[in-house]
Amino acid sequence: MKFFVDTANLKQIKEAQELGVLDGVTTNPSLMAKEGVVGKENIFEHYRKICEIVDGDVSAEVISTDYDGMLKEAAELVKIHPRIVVKIPMIKEGLKAIKYLSGKGIKVNCTLIFSAGQALLAAKAGAEYVSPFVGRLDDISTDGMELIHQIRVIFDNFGIKTKILAASIRNPVHIIKSAEIGADVATCPLSSILALLNHPLTDIGLEKFLSDYRTSQSVSKVKI
Ligand code: E4P
């Protein structure tokens, strides 16, 4: 399973890249706003910086909700960098835009997926990725992971190549479950990726190894 970070924060993207396990980045207008990036030129420059840090796909979301507007934005976004993937919302106009763009060989990530039907439509239109939002479903007392499972089964039934990008990941358990189910990608906050590192027995074990080493060194000094 690939690991993407779901942030527009350059420091966090660099940190994730330096860990050596980063495969890509997803952003959205809320994440860009959180970083205080405003104005089209600044936003495009920010995407360029992200693409220079990371080796994999970088999703950049359109803000238009009409077909022509989405196509115009997509044409501008893909000029920023070859690694840009155009993020299109799951709405009727979006579906038409996905069909057009994928037909032109432009990679699309269909965002705001909350049902298997939406994922199937996006895949039929040729999306490279579908982004089911796990955490936001959990927030409304629905099992977000069940949706990932349902989409996996449907895509496997028909050999659909569209990648399942588990989004709105909130914790390390979401990441592990996504991997178990067979999501192709999990896009996560950096904190959830870092949380995978932790286990109390690792800390206890390391402390014991080091204290045994220190003890053995001081004993051998006494012998001399
Ligand atoms: C997907 O690409 C979205 O950017 C993201 O995962 C949304 O996550 P949130 O529900 O934590 O805002």
Side-chain angles (χ1 to χ4, degrees):
M1 186 177 73
K2 289 193 172 181
F3 277 34
F4 287 7
V5 274
D6 192 32
T7 182
N9 183 287
L10 298 179
K11 204 166 152 265
Q12 287 187 17
I13 295 169
K14 274 188 200 133
E15 189 178 337
Q17 175 66 23
E18 283 164 10
L19 279 176
V21 295
L22 187 64
D23 300 300
V25 175
T26 52
T27 63
N28 62 41
S30 307
L31 293 170
M32 292 298 260
K34 194 171 159 198
E35 297 309 312
V37 190
V38 284
K40 191 169 154 183
E41 272 184 26
N42 292 332
I43 290 174
F44 278 31
E45 182 52 28
H46 203 78
Y47 284 139
R48 194 168 295 113
K49 285 182 187 160
I50 294 174
C51 291
E52 279 163 10
I53 299 171
V54 70
D55 270 341
D57 286 348
V58 174
S59 290
E61 189 161 340
V62 299
I63 45 160
S64 302
T65 53
D66 64 297
Y67 176 75
D68 290 334
M70 287 186 206
L71 295 195
K72 187 169 172 286
E73 275 189 70
E76 292 172 339
L77 287 168
V78 295
K79 279 192 201 133
I80 298 174
H81 198 281
R83 283 199 277 275
I84 289 284
V85 172
V86 182
K87 213 171 171 188
I88 303 268
M90 174 28 83
I91 53 175
K92 200 201 267 183
E93 294 287 284
L95 193 62
K96 291 192 268 177
I98 294 168
K99 179 73 186 171
Y100 178 86
L101 293 169
S102 60
K104 294 279 170 203
I106 293 172
K107 282 190 192 174
V108 174
N109 172 0
C110 182
T111 191
L112 291 166
I113 297 275
F114 292 95
S115 75
Q118 291 178 323
L120 189 54
L121 282 175
K124 279 188 79 72
E128 175 79 7
Y129 298 99
V130 286
S131 287
F133 278 36
V134 175
R136 291 193 196 183
L137 281 169
D138 287 357
D139 289 346
I140 57 156
S141 307
T142 306
D143 186 355
M145 276 304 155
E146 182 48 35
L147 175 59
I148 304 288
H149 180 251
Q150 233 183 341
I151 300 171
R152 181 73 283 155
V153 170
I154 293 170
F155 283 12
D156 289 351
N157 281 348
F158 300 101
I160 291 171
K161 296 284 173 252
T162 297
K163 298 178 183 81
I164 303 173
L165 193 164
S168 186
I169 293 281
R170 301 275 166 80
N171 56 56
V173 177
H174 278 157
I175 303 178
I176 299 300
K177 291 269 174 216
S178 298
E180 261 180 15
I181 293 167
D184 300 282
V185 186
T187 189
C188 329
L190 178 60
S191 57
S192 299
I193 298 176
L194 293 176
L196 292 174
L197 282 166
N198 301 332
H199 197 289
L201 290 180
T202 304
D203 300 338
I204 293 167
L206 180 59
E207 183 44 43
K208 176 84 172 90
F209 287 155
L210 295 180
S211 77
D212 286 348
Y213 171 77
R214 283 191 295 267
T215 309
S216 68
Q217 296 309 298
S218 55
V219 168
S220 71
K221 265 186 206 150
V222 171
K223 278 185 189 156
I224 289 163

